[in-house]
Amino acid sequence: QDIRNTVGNIPMEWYQDFPHIGYNLEGKKIYKPIRNKDELDMFLEKMENPDYWRTVQDKMTGADIKLTDEQVDLVHRLQKGQFGDVHFNPYEPAVDFFTHEVMIHPVTNRPADKRSFIPSLIEKEKVSKLVHAIKMGWIKPRKPKDDTPTYYDLWAHEDPNSILGRHKMHVPAPKMKLPGHEESYNPPPEYLLSEEEKLAWEQQEPAERKLNFVPQQYRCLRAVPAYSRFIHERFERCLDLYLCPRQRKMRVNVDPEDLIPKLPKPRDLQPFPTTQALVYRGHTSLVRCLSISPSGQWLVSGSDDCTVRFWEVCTARCMKTLPVGGVVKSIAWNPNPTICLVAICVEQSVLLVNPYLGDKLLYGATDQLLESYVAPEEERVQPVQWVTATVEEHSRGIRLVVQHSKAVKQVTWHGKGDYFASVVSDNSNMQVLIHQTSKRWSQNPFRKSKGLVQCVLFHPIRPYFFVATQRYVRIYNLLKQELTKKLMTNCKWVSSMAIHPGGDNVICGSYDSKLAWFDLDLSTRPYQLLRHHKKALRSVAFHKHYPLFASGSDDGTIIVCHGMVYNDLLQNPLLVPVKVLKGHVMTLDLGVLDVLFHPTQPWVFSSGADGTVRLYT
Amino acid sequence: AVTRRLCILKGIYPHEPKHKKKVNKGSTAPRTFYLLKDIKFLLHEPIVNKFREYKVFVRKLRKAYGKSEWSTVDRLRDNKPTYKLDHIVKERYPTFIDALRDLDDALSMCFLFSTFPRTGKCHVQTIQLCRRLAVEFLNYVIASRSLRKVFLSIKGIYYQAEVLGQPVTWITPYAFAHDHPTDVDYRVMATFTEFYTTLLGFVNFRLYHSLNLLYPPKIDGQADVELKPAEGKDYAMDSESYLEKLSALSASLARVVAPTHEDEVEIDEFPVEGETAEQMDAKKKELEDLEKHKRLFEGLRFFLNREVPREPLAFIIRCFGGQVSWDKSLCIGATYDVSDPSITHQIVDRPRVEQQVVGRYYLQPQWVFDSVNAKLCLPVADYFPGVLLPPHLSPFVTEQEGDYVPPEKLKLLAMQRGENPDEESEEEEEEEEEDEDDNEKEEEEEEDESEKEEEMKLKKMEEQKTQNNKALPVKVTAGKLRLEDRQRLEQEQQSEEKRLAIMMMKKREKYLYKKIMFGKKRKVREANKLAAKRKAHDTAVKEEKKKSKKARRA
């Protein structure tokens, strides 16, 4: 029954699906024994066959083998962990082969070698070599270790060549701050922290504290304890020394007095208004606007209490009160000295009023001039309506009413006194209108709206027209009907504008408390931007003859500046603030609403939110 | 870690780049930047190789330990690679003066390390070396008498010495055990100390040689003999006793050349061009003052009680030529006993002394410190034991104009000038107190008046300051025009002119100006605050005094 299967040591599952299980020595197939046992057969066999438990299947041949008694015994022994051989005794008594006892007989019978009786030659050679080496001084005894450092004069030869470039670049670490009085163990009592200061000290971040310790007082030196942060502070110093970036910082060592620019003394720039001379009382609400007659004798003011008052300048007497039935936004006295006429903005209309002040001939002539108007044959389409005043109105002085479609913001006269321009608060191209009084005719100069117009002005000499929108001032040539210049104000919102009587300089006040001075010959950007006021500027004004300009602001002050313009084109204007005028009381967060110069004297008028008009001389 | 050590040893520090964003790849996160040049410089350092060798050594040692090859361990241990920092010291400080300039931190660190316990934290050798170098330095300062200022702060004791014209300041902690913080990296400190000990050793060597002293220091022969018997009994170890004796600071050091009277040699005058006689005189006077200061305690014999910190006081007294001794059982090196009748001052720090010996002053230690700072022996009355001490002021503060000066300092300055306002005022006070009963009301009135006066003065000062500053908005009082007050008008006008000019300043300059002015004003404010606090305190004290007096009388 010796079937040699020649498949070798392979997993026998590979032959699972074949009828044979390998090949014998001759190369013939070894067929699996026929097995058609199912579960039931297996069970029956298990039940019936008494040797079932000792039957195993040989995987190589697939045949069942019955184990003999010896084989079963061997399996049992191995399972118990015993030796396979039954006759092997693992507990045989040990034979002491080499013992600690010295035996009189040698263990082996071998006679001793000769070399065990004579000294070793090899060793001798080695020793003699060592001895020779020691003699020759090649081998030295181990030096006793001395780890105390030795010091010598390191800087005995200081040669300047050893100073490298590095040393010149080196930034030495700043020394520790030396202690002040407060660090003493017994400081003067004022250096001790009070309760609140101590509390504040504790609440501060450690990095933000001015002192890194709490000053303490001890009665005697004995009572002083150890400082608990001593090692910390040393360690922090170490960290600073090797981790902090070092940098040479130039200390700004300036005398603050040197920073102040050297300006000509205001005393040398006189005349300019210095003190408050008169207060014109009478208005019960904000006085929004002021205007003065060309002769300088009369002053007119418009207010939120729906009246217009006429004052005599020198006496502060209210000559006349004209109720207009609406808030007065703007007011302008005709600059022509031969005409006595005042333009007043009230809601949607511009009233032209004859104040009946001054020379009787003059205002009579004005009335005649207005009445001499002859209506043209053909009615022209106009953006506004010109209405002659009713009898009742006429008796109050109102001559003409120019009715606009929307509320009117501002009105301004041309220098000749015939034309005037009005600004309507609107978003369309109808914002600016130019009117001619003698012909009672109006026109709209712009086809397109370029933004919200803040104010307009006529050039005092040349046919130019200034339109200030929120951020730009556009200058139009009226004759050529074109844009000549566009000034960038660098402000957020322009509030007011004034032109130097010479016509080459413009100032713009803005709500972001800046005043921009433009030199039209220089550039379209401000020559200088003055930030003198703390709050929004409401109005700016130039003096007709003196080199003065003034600005009024919400902070209740008027700043009068000297603004000299030289005829020499090479010399830039000289701007020097000369006086800060105060006097107006702040009401509703508003201070000065309008400023105005007297046409001949170096006087300045101002109207304020407190309902007064003041004169400074 | 190696880079860190290298940076510490070679003194390389980070730099702030000019364009932080450009260097940091667009981010503005905080990073430290080193110059490339510096890093290259570090690479050329020969000590880098030593560090590598050491690393290899540690690796081998660990391996040998792991294999329990003890003979290998021993052999490795014997051949432990060492390195020296001499060349780095030379490289960092090409001249001796450079080294002196950087001595502050080195000294403070050495003094701190020398107080560490001998266990844990760092090597015992380092601590011993630090102690040795510190004591050597102290001995040098004594020998050269170069101590200038001392200050008892709550952090420790500050000393300032002038070594070859360079002021060297260091701080020593009070002699207590440290509670070692956990958030401190002792390795960093140890690296610094490694460098500092090398530096300090060389500096000490050079300093000793500049005074013709032996280095390592030897105690002078005679004193040595005196000390011998005591040492034989109490101290077993010879090696320790040397350092102990040295640190007792009581004996002078041996010199290479026998001390001649070289000190007596007058300094030749070299008139420098462009120097006036006045300047010369001032210089001469300064020198004289310095000499006087150096001999402040000459001829005085001190005795330190055992509750007094021995080392700092012995150091200070010896620095100014005094003789000092202490109880024999306290420390080695005591030269005379308590009962010595020649003792002039005994330093005591207890509320009262039971058995007082006639013929000597019993003083609190602060007297020594204050006297040194004042450059004269202060009157002893304020410093008797149990007396409330006058405040201890910092000698490092030099008040500039406008700063707050504590009244004690003013008194001191007056005393230095040779006046004696202190006694007068005291007498006055006493007198006042004497006839307090009679005219209490009057006095109060007077006081009130004086207070008012003071207040006025204060106000005036403030006004002047503010007017000097001119940044404060002075209100224009239009209604109250006083014609007779010309000056005031003038001033007002000037101030207005200034304000107008300030309006015309450029934005940048205005910003700068405002910042400067703000700083100045803050200074004034702080000074005023301190003055007010002092005044309040003084009045409170006075009240208290009066009350107690009344209570006693009633």
Side-chain angles (χ1 to χ4, degrees), chain A residues 142 145 147-159 162-164 166-167 169-173 175-194 197 210 212-216 218-228 230-235 237-239 241-247 252 254-257 259-261 263 265-267 528 530-532 559 575-580 582, chain B residues 4 8 12-16 34 38 41 78 84 86 89-96 99 101 104-105 108-109 112 116 125 129 132 151-155 158 167 169 171 173-174 176 178 180-181 183-186 188-189 192 196-198 201-203 205-206 215 309 349 364-366 388-394 396-397 399 404 406 493 496-498 500-501 503-505 509-510 512-513 516-517 520 526 529-530 533-534 537:
Chain A
R142 192 174 287 153
K145 267 214 146 166
D147 50 354
T148 49
T150 51
Y151 298 116
Y152 50 91
D153 197 352
L154 191 66
W155 292 282
H157 315 284
E158 285 179 1
D159 61 330
S162 65
I163 300 173
L164 308 170
R166 298 191 58 78
H167 292 110
M169 291 294 296
H170 179 74
V171 183
K175 296 202 169 186
M176 292 273 274
K177 218 181 127 232
L178 289 172
H181 296 315
E182 61 276 357
E183 208 181 308
S184 164
Y185 86 104
N186 183 13
E190 62 268 30
Y191 287 99
L192 294 173
L193 297 186
S194 63
E197 282 169 330
K210 218 170 171 197
N212 54 3
F213 58 91
V214 184
Q216 301 242 308
Y218 298 100
R219 278 188 66 84
C220 54
L221 188 57
R222 253 184 116 173
V224 185
Y227 183 59
S228 58
F230 194 91
I231 297 178
H232 273 285
E233 277 181 14
R234 273 289 117 207
F235 178 60
R237 171 71 178 169
C238 286
L239 290 187
L241 282 179
Y242 93 100
L243 279 183
C244 265
R246 294 185 203 166
Q247 205 175 22
V252 190
V254 210
D255 186 18
E257 303 302 314
L259 288 175
I260 299 172
L263 294 174
K265 291 239 154 126
R267 218 177 308 159
Q528 219 162 5
L530 309 174
R531 291 180 192 80
H532 295 170
I559 294 182
L575 309 183
V576 184
V578 288
K579 189 72 190 169
V580 180
K582 290 176 187 170
Chain B
R4 187 176 63 195
I8 291 171
I12 301 293
Y13 46 85
H15 281 258
E16 194 74 7
Y34 286 91
D38 282 350
F41 175 67
D78 280 341
K84 282 188 169 180
D86 308 6
V89 172
K90 182 78 202 257
E91 187 187 78
R92 274 179 72 171
Y93 306 109
T95 62
F96 184 54
R101 272 185 205 135
D104 287 16
D105 292 310
S108 298
M109 201 63 148
L112 171 65
F116 276 178
Q125 288 93 334
L129 183 63
R132 191 190 120 194
F151 179 51
L152 289 167
S153 96
I154 53 172
K155 293 180 179 176
Y158 286 88
T169 317
I171 179 174
Y174 287 115
F176 291 102
H178 299 281
H180 285 279
D183 52 344
V184 163
D185 191 352
Y186 278 91
V188 172
M189 299 242 279
F192 268 103
Y196 284 153
T197 49
T198 320
F202 285 115
V203 168
F205 186 93
R206 174 92 181 203
Y215 189 89
D349 199 0
Q364 298 209 33
Q366 197 190 320
L388 190 69
L389 290 167
H392 180 58
L393 297 176
S394 165
F396 302 112
V397 182
E399 275 90 359
Y404 172 71
Q493 200 168 358
E496 195 183 338
E497 268 171 32
K498 204 168 192 185
L500 291 172
M503 284 201 309
M504 278 307 281
M505 275 205 291
E509 283 176 353
K510 203 189 235 170
L512 185 65
Y513 180 83
I516 294 172
M517 280 310 170
K520 275 191 175 172
E526 267 165 19
K529 197 177 156 195
L530 281 178
K533 238 172 151 181
R534 177 64 183 220
H537 179 263

Side-chain angles (χ1 to χ4, degrees), chain A residues 200-331:
Chain A
W201 186 88
E202 271 158 18
Q203 277 167 355
Q204 264 175 334
E205 286 284 311
E208 282 174 0
R209 287 171 187 163
K210 218 170 171 197
L211 296 173
N212 54 3
F213 58 91
V214 184
Q216 301 242 308
Q217 193 171 28
Y218 298 100
R219 278 188 66 84
C220 54
L221 188 57
R222 253 184 116 173
V224 185
Y227 183 59
S228 58
R229 287 190 54 80
F230 194 91
I231 297 178
H232 273 285
E233 277 181 14
R234 273 289 117 207
F235 178 60
E236 273 158 23
R237 171 71 178 169
C238 286
L239 290 187
D240 283 352
L241 282 179
Y242 93 100
L243 279 183
C244 265
R246 294 185 203 166
Q247 205 175 22
R248 266 184 222 280
K249 276 242 160 120
M250 297 312 284
R251 186 112 187 227
V252 190
N253 203 358
V254 210
D255 186 18
E257 303 302 314
D258 293 346
L259 288 175
I260 299 172
K262 295 279 165 286
L263 294 174
K265 291 239 154 126
R267 218 177 308 159
D268 310 336
L269 302 175
Q270 273 169 346
F272 55 82
T274 51
T275 48
Q276 179 176 298
L278 287 172
V279 183
Y280 304 80
R281 290 182 204 282
H283 282 295
T284 54
S285 186
L286 329 176
V287 185
R288 281 210 185 267
C289 44
L290 287 175
S291 188
I292 192 158
S293 69
S295 61
Q297 199 182 356
W298 314 105
L299 180 74
V300 61
S301 64
S303 157
D304 270 13
D305 58 3
C306 306
T307 57
V308 172
R309 280 170 189 265
F310 294 87
W311 315 83
E312 190 174 23
V313 167
C314 309
T315 55
R317 193 169 140 221
C318 181
M319 303 300 290
K320 220 173 149 184
T321 309
L322 181 70
V324 288
V327 172
V328 183
K329 282 281 174 58
S330 174
I331 203 161

Side-chain angles (χ1 to χ4, degrees), chain A residues 67-98:
Chain A
L67 297 182
T68 59
D69 280 347
E70 290 86 56
Q71 281 168 333
V72 170
D73 206 31
L74 182 65
V75 169
H76 280 304
R77 289 174 71 79
L78 288 176
Q79 274 176 343
K80 276 184 202 161
Q82 288 168 343
F83 286 95
D85 190 359
V86 190
H87 308 292
F88 182 76
N89 181 10
Y91 306 112
E92 270 179 23
V95 180
D96 244 358
F97 205 71
F98 297 101

Side-chain angles (χ1 to χ4, degrees), chain B residues 375-510:
Chain B
K375 300 184 181 173
L376 47 93
C377 282
L378 291 173
V380 289
D382 296 338
Y383 298 92
F384 286 146
V387 166
L388 190 69
L389 290 167
H392 180 58
L393 297 176
S394 165
F396 302 112
V397 182
T398 46
E399 275 90 359
Q400 273 136 11
E401 218 182 298
D403 285 354
Y404 172 71
V405 188
E408 286 84 9
K409 180 101 179 186
L410 290 175
K411 227 185 253 174
L412 192 76
L413 288 175
M415 223 186 278
Q416 277 172 345
R417 266 178 269 127
E419 300 157 25
N420 204 349
D422 192 35
E423 280 184 16
E424 282 170 31
S425 70
E426 258 180 38
E427 276 170 25
E428 266 176 35
E429 227 170 75
E430 274 172 30
E431 275 173 29
E432 262 180 33
E433 277 170 20
E434 271 170 26
D435 39 32
E436 203 175 2
D437 265 344
D438 309 325
N439 43 17
E440 219 168 300
K441 278 185 187 174
E442 263 188 37
E443 205 196 29
E444 272 178 18
E445 279 174 14
E446 269 180 26
E447 253 175 44
D448 283 359
E449 271 181 18
S450 66
E451 272 174 27
K452 268 180 197 169
E453 269 182 23
E454 265 184 41
E455 250 174 55
M456 286 290 280
K457 260 187 204 168
L458 263 178
K459 264 190 189 169
K460 232 180 215 175
M461 264 174 57
E462 238 173 286
E463 239 170 64
Q464 273 180 358
K465 272 169 194 167
T466 47
Q467 264 163 4
N468 286 342
N469 294 348
K470 295 289 159 36
L472 271 182
V474 180
K475 269 178 197 162
V476 178
T477 47
K480 278 194 232 164
L481 264 182
R482 269 179 289 170
L483 284 175
E484 67 278 353
D485 208 346
R486 268 280 162 72
Q487 239 179 349
R488 207 184 122 95
L489 259 178
E490 195 115 307
Q491 254 185 7
E492 240 169 49
Q493 200 168 358
Q494 271 182 8
S495 75
E496 195 183 338
E497 268 171 32
K498 204 168 192 185
R499 261 182 294 131
L500 291 172
I502 285 168
M503 284 201 309
M504 278 307 281
M505 275 205 291
K506 274 176 205 153
K507 209 170 167 186
R508 247 168 103 177
E509 283 176 353
K510 203 189 235 170

Side-chain angles (χ1 to χ4, degrees), chain B residues 27 43 72 77 150 159 219 239 276 286 289 291 306 323 332 343 377 408 410 433 488 490 508:
Chain B
S27 107
L43 283 178
T72 321
R77 278 265 168 80
V150 283
Y159 302 91
I219 288 160
S239 58
T276 58
E286 214 167 84
D289 279 351
E291 279 304 307
R306 55 170 58 251
Q323 278 177 298
I332 195 173
I343 292 172
C377 282
E408 286 84 9
L410 290 175
E433 277 170 20
R488 207 184 122 95
E490 195 115 307
R508 247 168 103 177

